[in-house]
Structure formats: C-alpha cells, structure tokens
Amino acid sequence: MQLGFSNPLPIEDDDESHPLGHQSPQWSDWDGGKIGGRPSWLNPRDLPQGILRCRGPCGKFTEDKLGTPLCFVTQLYCPADDVREAAFHRSLYVFACPKCCSASSTLLTSNKKSSSRQEDKNNLSACIQVLRCQLPKKNAFYPSEGNVDGEWDLHTSHFWATNDQNGQLNLCAVCGQRSRGKCPKQGKSFCSADHQKEYMRATKKCHGDKSTSNARSVSLKYLPSVFFESELVVEEEPHPSHATAMNHFEKTANNCLLGSAEISDVDAKLEQRDLNVLAGNSALAEAATGVTDPTTLAFYARMAIGGTENDVRDQCLRYSRWPETKQRHSSREEEDDEKYEGPLWLTSDNQPPSQSDAETNTTPFPPPCQYCGAPRFFEFQILPQMLHYLFLDPSEKIGNHGESPRQVLTESESAILLEAQSKIESGIDLPPGFLEQHERAVAKAREALLGIGKSNYSNGHHGSKVSLEWGTIIIYTCSASCGEGGDVMLNDINCSGISVTEKERLRCLGSYREEVAWMQPSLD
C-alpha cells in the first residue's frame, strides 16, 4: 500500500519554477500528482468537450436538466505499462459535485442512514467523476526519452490551439477545461459565462489585496470553484508490527480481559466533530455520536500505524492498484510476504453491493468497463484528510505546527482498538477493565487524528470556496487499462446494454475514459 501526502508549495512559487502534474514535458521527473488547482491534462489536445457536469440528482430539478459543473479535486500519475504498452504514461483525474457533495445536500444526509435506498447510494457515487488518460511512450506530446533538450511546448494546449487553429483548446482561465472562446475585455478564455464573471470578480478582489503577490495562490484565493493547490507526494505505508503490539498488550492488560459487562453506546464513543475538524468541515461539528462500528475503529487505528517515528496520520490518499489481480496470480510464498489490501472503509454502512448480494436484486459494484467489458478493481481511495488541504490557503499564516509534537497512539493503544474490533465483530461484550482502557484509547485516537486540524482555518470556515464533504471516495478502474491513447470512437464502446445517448456522452470525453467511484459519506 502506498500513501499520498500533500506537500505545500513555496509561497513565492509560480507554475514555471515548480511545475505540477504534466506542466513540464520532462516526464522522467513525474511522480505522485497534485491536489486542487486546475487539472494538468496528460493529453493536451483531445480534451473532453464541454464542461464536466454532475450526473447525480442535482440536474433533475433544473430547467435545462443539466447537472452542476464539477470541481477538480486531485490527479495521480500511475503508469500501467506492465499491463499495456499504450499505458506507458497514465493519469487519473477526480472531480466532485459541489452541490451534491456539500454538507447541506439532502442526498448526502439521506445516505448517512443505514436504511437508505440503494438508488440513493448509487446517486451519491454519480456525483463523482473519474477520468483516465494514457499514452504510449512514443506520442505526439512528450519526448520519447525522459529528458528535454531546448524548448518544448507540444505538451501544452496552447500549442495545439495555435497549431490546429482551434481556440477552444485555450483552456478556461478558471477551471482549466476546454473553453468556448476568449473574452475580449479580459483577454482570457472561458468555458462559460459563469466562469467569465467569476474570474472578473476575482480580478477585482486580487487588485485590492496587498497581502499576497504570488500569481498562483492569488488567483486561486478568490475563485470559489477552484480549490487551493498542493503537490501530491507518494510513499510506502509503514508495516505494522501487530505481533509486537499484541504481545505488549497481553503483558499489560491481561487482568483486564477477565469477566464481562454489558456493552453500551459509550463503549466506543467516536465523535464525528473531531474528524470534521480534521477535514475542515463544520456541518456536523456540534454532533457527537456513539459508534461501535468495528470498521470505524479499524480506520482510526490504521491512521496511527506509523507511530512517532513515521507519522502518517496526515495521509490523504491510499493507493494499491488492483490487489484482486495480484492476489489471484501470486504464489503462496508471495502471499506470506505481502498482503494485498483493498480500500480502508470508514464505516460498515454504505459499502457497495458485491457479487454475493445478487439475490437481493442489487447490481454488483463496480460494473465492468463499458469500453472493453473487463472487470474493474480497486486502485486508490481519497481520505477525508484531503479536504483539509483543498481549503487550506497557503498565503495565510496558520501558525507554527511544530511548536508541540502531535499525539500518536502507542502500540498497546492501537492493539486495544484492534482487540475491541475483534470482540465487537464476534459479539463478545467488552470486559469492565478492558472497557475503560478502550475508552481511553478511543479518546486518544480522536486527539491523534486532530494533528493537522488544529489550525485557525480548520474550524469549518471555507472562506469563499464552494463546500465539499465526504467520508472516503473509492476509485475502481479497468483492469485491462484499455485504450491506445487517442480519441474514443463509438466503435470503441463495446460493452452491451449501453444506449446511443450514453455512447455519445462517452465519445465527447475525447481521449479521457471514464472510470467509476464509490463515495462513503462522513460519519454522523
């Protein structure tokens, strides 16, 4: 499992001195990805046509039946040339609906109920759009070798706008998507009149702000539909020593395992307001809910897996491409050395239906690839911590985070949470002495998760930005990584049962193929 972290950009930085995503043609330096800002398109020429819009319920109640324009969340560079040569370069992009994914969304609220309808759960996932783009090593945009000698601009949409005499390839100055034309007054290209007005308002505010001179952050600060930008860096997750933790627990808490007691709602009290503070989300900040869900307990314990020496609580992404296929093809010896893991769920509720749920008349998730019919498997997930960075203004002084060390769970405390998880799953009451230690460990877990959320900004105040909320977002991708890197044609969509209208929608995404996501809402 690999973990993704937000790496803040230098305050006096600009696009040229610290290129993110594919802003530099020197692909040998590409690694990780980016959070917030505007998408950096791998294929700068064959872009989606028109604005990317939500396919959830928000468009059903508008006069034009069009969904809300989506906001860019993150992108990840993840080559798959071991599967297909045409995936030598490969990037995934995630967009979210600011209306359906807001704290005030009735759809989000209804999905927090375990009794919510399957249709509503599917609608919630339709509020997230995932795009995949890939290119072979030899392509029209980047040099065959990783290094660049001299000037190179074939990787920019501006080059192709001039070369193909297609002004729509001059990207929108707000969202970075294909534009519809240039505003003669502002001298910028825009995808819509709404973004044209948004940019004009932002320009006026920028001119009146003397506190910041950074071209990158000033423009983002006053654009409500564009989140603050940071670099996404990836590293391996530290391996937990479960045996050591459990041995230590048995030595120090053996006497507490004797006897039994009735379990109550306070036995595993985890307050959502603490996780909300971490995520910069105030909608449920006043709510405190008793939780006995073992999946939630395991989530809290896993965040502190690195301990004090390798603190990984501020992780905002978890990556492990297609663990199901690795498990299938690995030998028994390899299985003993490495456990291939899927997503880390936040709660036992609101998980997608599996093949075993077929008898309940629900369609298994994820669906097969609509282009080639290959099965989709888990590739990565976005954690609630990412919300913190999307709303974190780098130009504002947050305070010195290094003044005091952040709390972490000890090995014994982590073991207590895992032991409680096992007992709750087995229907075993927590013994009185163990119950008290469990309560202290849970309280410590809440404090530990607040490590990056104690800034003045993380009080639910999003400034002028649109609102977003989620518990976790799980992304599933085509296990064949189909496609050769060019525009999608109608005959490329071979999966049966897809309407002509849907095929046309997919064709209009250009060289970007759609994958699927499942969203779990935040805890009550």
Side-chain angles (χ1 to χ4, degrees):
M1 182 68 69
Q2 293 180 306
L3 307 181
F5 300 88
S6 172
N7 183 36
L9 302 174
I11 292 184
E12 296 301 325
D13 197 10
D14 56 39
D15 288 347
E16 295 183 358
S17 63
H18 197 118
L20 297 178
H22 310 302
Q23 293 171 347
S24 167
Q26 192 157 310
W27 54 263
S28 59
D29 294 337
W30 294 351
D31 190 24
K34 67 194 295 285
I35 298 170
R38 305 172 182 89
S40 176
W41 302 108
L42 177 62
N43 183 330
R45 182 188 63 197
D46 307 316
L47 300 175
Q49 301 174 21
I51 306 172
L52 298 176
R53 293 183 178 273
C54 178
R55 299 178 62 229
C58 64
K60 297 180 180 179
F61 306 103
T62 60
E63 185 175 345
D64 55 10
K65 302 298 181 182
L66 295 177
T68 305
L70 300 175
C71 294
F72 173 70
V73 174
T74 188
Q75 72 180 73
L76 185 64
Y77 180 63
C78 39
D81 50 319
D82 57 324
V83 177
R84 182 182 294 270
E85 290 184 3
F88 184 85
H89 298 300
R90 179 173 175 270
S91 285
L92 295 169
Y93 301 78
V94 181
F95 300 81
C97 175
K99 193 169 186 177
C100 294
C101 300
S102 68
S104 60
S105 168
T106 55
L107 178 65
L108 199 65
T109 303
S110 65
N111 266 271
K112 291 177 181 178
K113 301 176 182 178
S114 59
S115 59
S116 58
R117 297 178 305 164
Q118 188 64 43
E119 179 184 358
D120 290 337
K121 296 178 182 180
N122 292 337
N123 281 337
L124 187 58
S125 295
C127 304
I128 303 295
Q129 185 168 29
V130 182
L131 299 180
R132 168 174 57 87
C133 183
Q134 59 194 43
L135 295 169
K137 186 174 183 180
K138 293 184 178 181
N139 58 77
F141 314 111
Y142 304 97
S144 297
E145 301 302 325
N147 298 320
V148 177
D149 295 325
E151 295 184 1
W152 186 285
D153 58 357
L154 277 71
H155 68 298
T156 66
S157 292
H158 177 72
F159 170 85
W160 294 102
T162 304
N163 184 77
D164 295 358
Q165 296 184 342
N166 183 354
Q168 292 187 350
L169 291 179
N170 288 313
L171 304 180
C172 175
V174 175
C175 65
Q177 298 182 43
R178 182 192 287 263
S179 69
R180 294 179 59 185
K182 179 177 286 188
C183 171
K185 184 176 181 179
Q186 300 185 78
K188 299 287 185 180
S189 298
F190 299 99
C191 66
S192 64
D194 288 340
H195 280 182
Q196 181 183 13
K197 295 175 183 177
E198 182 178 340
Y199 193 87
M200 181 176 292
R201 290 191 294 267
T203 301
K204 293 179 179 179
K205 292 180 180 179
C206 285
H207 289 164
D209 187 351
K210 306 299 182 182
S211 63
T212 311
S213 60
N214 178 336
R216 187 199 294 262
S217 65
V218 164
S219 62
L220 298 183
K221 183 174 183 178
Y222 297 109
L223 293 172
S225 62
V226 185
F227 300 108
F228 292 109
E229 188 175 43
S230 60
E231 182 181 12
L232 180 66
V233 296
V234 178
E235 65 181 51
E236 292 292 331
E237 182 180 37
H239 292 286
S241 53
H242 290 300
T244 302
M246 291 307 298
N247 288 337
H248 182 74
F249 166 76
E250 289 174 358
K251 291 179 180 179
T252 57
N254 185 55
N255 292 334
C256 300
L257 293 178
L258 302 176
S260 63
E262 293 292 326
I263 189 168
S264 66
D265 287 342
V266 298
D267 291 345
K269 188 174 181 180
L270 300 175
E271 294 180 359
Q272 173 61 23
R273 63 183 176 187
D274 295 322
L275 189 56
N276 287 338
V277 170
L278 172 69
N281 181 353
S282 64
L284 299 175
E286 299 302 320
T289 304
V291 176
T292 57
D293 187 349
T295 302
T296 303
L297 297 177
F299 178 89
Y300 272 74
R302 193 60 176 266
M303 290 298 102
I305 200 171
T308 55
E309 296 182 357
N310 195 359
D311 192 350
V312 295
R313 286 167 299 155
D314 52 353
Q315 61 184 278
C316 51
L317 184 143
R318 298 174 65 83
Y319 184 91
S320 178
R321 172 160 55 94
W322 312 332
E324 296 91 339
T325 60
K326 294 177 181 178
Q327 192 76 50
R328 186 184 307 160
H329 296 103
S330 63
S331 64
R332 182 173 298 275
E333 291 75 13
E334 290 173 334
E335 290 180 11
D336 293 338
D337 295 336
E338 181 177 4
K339 181 182 179 182
Y340 299 108
E341 294 187 84
L344 180 64
W345 296 103
L346 182 61
T347 171
S348 297
D349 294 327
N350 294 292
Q351 293 191 19
S354 62
Q355 294 291 342
S356 60
D357 298 324
E359 65 275 6
T360 63
N361 296 323
T362 57
T363 304
F365 193 94
C369 176
Q370 63 266 53
Y371 303 93
C372 70
R376 282 190 172 103
F377 296 121
F378 165 76
E379 182 154 357
F380 71 97
Q381 76 180 101
I382 297 172
L383 299 175
Q385 287 91 318
M386 187 175 288
L387 290 165
H388 172 81
Y389 298 105
L390 290 172
F391 295 114
L392 184 63
D393 185 353
S395 67
E396 294 184 1
K397 293 184 178 180
I398 307 300
N400 186 358
H401 295 287
E403 290 180 354
S404 59
R406 300 188 301 178
Q407 293 199 42
V408 296
L409 293 177
T410 63
E411 288 185 341
S412 61
E413 289 165 337
S414 181
I416 288 172
L417 290 179
L418 294 174
E419 177 74 5
Q421 171 196 4
S422 176
K423 287 183 175 296
I424 293 173
E425 287 179 335
S426 303
I428 301 174
D429 294 336
L430 301 185
F434 177 75
L435 180 61
E436 296 174 359
Q437 291 202 8
H438 181 225
E439 290 175 349
R440 289 195 293 268
V442 168
K444 183 75 171 292
R446 295 201 305 267
E447 295 177 2
L449 275 179
L450 292 177
I452 63 172
K454 293 183 178 179
S455 67
N456 294 329
Y457 193 80
S458 296
N459 57 2
H461 175 58
H462 294 165
S464 62
K465 298 296 183 187
V466 296
S467 175
L468 278 184
E469 178 183 339
W470 61 67
T472 185
I473 301 173
I474 314 297
I475 284 81
Y476 301 87
T477 58
C478 170
S479 58
S481 198
C482 63
E484 302 303 318
D487 270 342
V488 173
M489 302 300 178
L490 289 178
N491 57 8
D492 292 329
I493 307 171
N494 299 319
C495 196
S496 60
I498 297 181
S499 67
V500 174
T501 302
E502 177 66 3
K503 286 186 177 182
E504 179 62 19
R505 185 189 70 83
L506 296 174
R507 185 195 66 80
C508 288
L509 294 176
S511 63
Y512 291 77
R513 300 196 170 208
E514 189 174 67
E515 300 292 2
V516 298
W518 185 274
M519 181 201 290
Q520 272 193 327
S522 59
L523 301 173
D524 283 330

